[in-house]
Amino acid sequence: MITTIIKHEFIRARGWLAQVFGGATLLVATGSALALTDWPMVSTFGVVLGAFAVVALMPVAQLALAWDYWRSSYRRLGYFTQTLPIRGATQYWARLIWGTAVSLLALAWSIVLGVGLWYGSMRVTDSRPADLWDTVTGTWELATQAAPAWFWVLALLLVVLLMLSNVAAYYFAASVGSERRFAGLGAGGPVLVWVLIYFAIQLAFVVAIVTVPWGVGLVDGRLGLVEQDFLSLLVANEETDVMPIGFLPVLVLMVVPLVWRTIVSWERKVSLV
């Protein structure tokens, strides 16, 4: 059933997906073409334009996912969606899997576009085709000298998890913000809920950081655990080179209540407008 729902999600969303991914690709192609002209200002503008498209693709795709989720679940299309003889939890899990897949695809395509922009802007950056590979391998070598490879793989996975958690947060805001208590606000309900959970998550991050007096810093030239009183630093408004790790449990676990409460909304608190 989940596979069938995902199939219909793709059929309904392929139009705007093509616009988002195609628009980013067109911007990168345009930026690369402008960069190849080697004209002052114009070529630099082309690089900036392409870089903007690479960076913006995933956030724009996730915002489009949130809008499509809200529109198809709680607006006009919601009357059809909510009357299907399928449990709300099943529909939600299918949409969450779909949103995660689109987000990963956007991330992968951003990397592809970034590589294309690199080669398209070689005149501006005065680079050679082999420089990209040399940069990647050189950076990785320096990174693994400072910390084991598993550390950087874990760090990369955490960054990806942070980006993917946006899907759960957007869907939570769309569902809870469409419940009866917010029904009169229209699109303002999901926006209000998202703002509230954004500040709640940031507060949870701060509390976790000052509660856990450990971070990652240089120890004898390599990255390792360093004891640090982040609360005292915060009170004294002092800076530190140690990266706190207290926020990591919050980052990993915050998805659980978001998913659970969204399922509750689907099962018991649907309010269509």
Side-chain angles (χ1 to χ4, degrees):
M1 181 58 68
I2 287 181
T3 304
T4 302
I5 295 174
I6 292 175
K7 174 185 174 181
H8 286 283
E9 286 290 300
F10 169 73
I11 292 173
R12 191 191 68 254
R14 59 189 175 187
W16 65 258
L17 278 174
Q19 294 177 19
V20 172
F21 281 79
T25 304
L26 180 60
L27 285 177
V28 170
T30 302
S32 298
L34 292 175
L36 287 172
T37 63
D38 205 20
W39 296 338
M41 298 298 293
V42 173
S43 56
T44 302
F45 172 75
V47 175
V48 173
L49 179 65
F52 170 77
V54 171
V55 173
L57 175 55
M58 186 170 181
V60 170
Q62 290 188 328
L63 285 172
L65 278 167
W67 172 81
D68 184 65
Y69 171 89
W70 175 70
R71 181 180 65 91
S72 62
S73 302
Y74 302 103
R75 307 304 287 179
R76 288 185 177 181
L77 286 176
Y79 286 97
F80 171 75
T81 301
Q82 301 291 352
T83 54
L84 292 173
I86 305 171
R87 285 195 60 190
T90 302
Q91 295 196 55
Y92 170 71
W93 279 115
R95 289 163 180 263
L96 186 61
I97 293 171
W98 161 251
T100 301
V102 172
S103 297
L104 288 173
L105 179 61
L107 178 61
W109 192 241
S110 294
I111 295 174
V112 172
L113 293 179
V115 172
L117 180 63
W118 171 286
Y119 287 111
S121 60
M122 285 191 297
R123 285 192 178 182
V124 177
T125 58
D126 195 24
S127 303
R128 298 176 298 109
D131 286 348
L132 176 59
W133 178 251
D134 292 341
T135 300
V136 172
T137 55
T139 302
W140 178 251
E141 183 178 350
L142 290 174
T144 51
Q145 288 176 359
W150 64 262
F151 174 88
W152 297 110
V153 172
L154 179 61
L156 178 61
L157 290 176
L158 288 172
V159 171
V160 173
L161 176 62
L162 176 61
M163 291 187 289
L164 294 180
S165 65
N166 286 337
V167 178
Y170 284 143
Y171 287 7
F172 171 90
S175 294
V176 176
S178 298
E179 291 176 3
R180 187 168 292 106
R181 74 189 82 176
F182 301 109
L185 298 178
V191 173
L192 174 62
V193 172
W194 185 85
V195 170
L196 291 175
I197 64 170
Y198 173 81
F199 283 106
I201 291 172
Q202 299 306 310
L203 178 61
F205 280 160
V206 172
V207 171
I209 287 171
V210 300
T211 302
V212 179
W214 292 93
V216 175
L218 287 176
V219 180
D220 297 328
R222 288 177 62 84
L223 291 177
L225 283 179
V226 178
E227 188 172 3
Q228 182 71 266
D229 188 350
F230 293 103
L231 179 58
S232 298
L233 290 174
L234 181 64
V235 172
N237 195 27
E238 296 181 0
E239 297 182 355
T240 179
D241 294 330
V242 179
M243 186 192 77
I245 60 173
F247 70 94
L248 294 179
V250 177
L251 172 61
V252 175
L253 297 176
M254 70 179 185
V255 177
V256 176
L258 292 176
V259 170
W260 169 77
R261 185 57 180 80
T262 308
I263 291 175
V264 170
S265 183
W266 268 88
E267 295 282 357
R268 305 175 188 175
K269 299 178 179 293
V270 173
S271 178
L272 301 178
V273 178

